Amino acid sequence: MTDAAYWLIAAVALGIAELLAPGVFFVFLAIAAGVVAATLLALPDLPPVAQLGAFGAWSVVTVLIGRRWYRDYPIESGDPLLNDRAGRMIGASVIVTEPIVGGRGRVRVGDGEWPATGPDTAAGTAMRITAIVDGIVSVEAL
């Protein structure tokens, strides 16, 4: 088997690794291995050190190209607040559980209670979340 075949097998293996563990990184290494395989078809007597050097260089080039691509063409999410619990809670209605006195109290958010800041309000009053800063909910009257 030729060195080009080994590099082609490496390219396929890296492509499969990208499918099994998606992270948008192995694909660039697979492309680099494919380029080295193509280079070895043109230059079959390329020494192994030069092959590894070419693979390293092409890996850097493909990663930089991919990084630029994803910066210029970002992937839009269908739910941009998917992993932003605080962002999802802004605008939600909450109930004051401990009266807000002197600007501080507690509110029920879902099945838990959070410290809150806002205008003085009696317990049991419905409020709306306006912001969450350092784990403290800011509320306003509905």
Side-chain angles (χ1 to χ4, degrees):
M1 203 179 327
T2 66
D3 287 347
Y6 288 122
W7 282 106
L8 192 57
I9 290 169
V12 170
L14 287 165
I16 290 170
E18 176 68 27
L19 292 174
L20 296 176
V24 190
F25 185 76
F26 287 125
V27 67
F28 302 121
L29 300 180
I31 293 168
V35 169
V36 173
T39 302
L40 285 172
L41 292 175
L43 303 169
D45 294 330
L46 197 63
V49 172
Q51 293 174 28
L52 290 174
F55 175 70
W58 279 108
S59 294
V60 169
V61 168
T62 57
V63 167
L64 291 176
I65 289 171
R67 186 174 165 199
R68 172 88 185 250
W69 175 270
Y70 285 113
R71 187 188 69 220
D72 292 346
Y73 303 100
I75 298 171
E76 297 296 326
S77 171
D79 186 1
L81 298 177
L82 178 64
N83 293 319
D84 184 4
R85 182 174 183 200
R88 286 172 106 51
M89 292 181 356
I90 293 175
S93 296
V94 294
I95 302 295
V96 176
T97 56
E98 288 182 20
I100 299 176
V101 178
R104 296 206 165 272
R106 293 187 71 79
V107 296
R108 176 163 300 282
V109 179
D111 62 351
E113 288 189 13
W114 289 54
T117 60
D120 290 353
T121 308
T125 306
M127 303 288 280
R128 172 172 297 139
I129 297 175
T130 58
I132 299 174
V133 178
D134 296 331
I136 299 173
V137 177
S138 296
V139 294
E140 67 181 8
L142 281 176

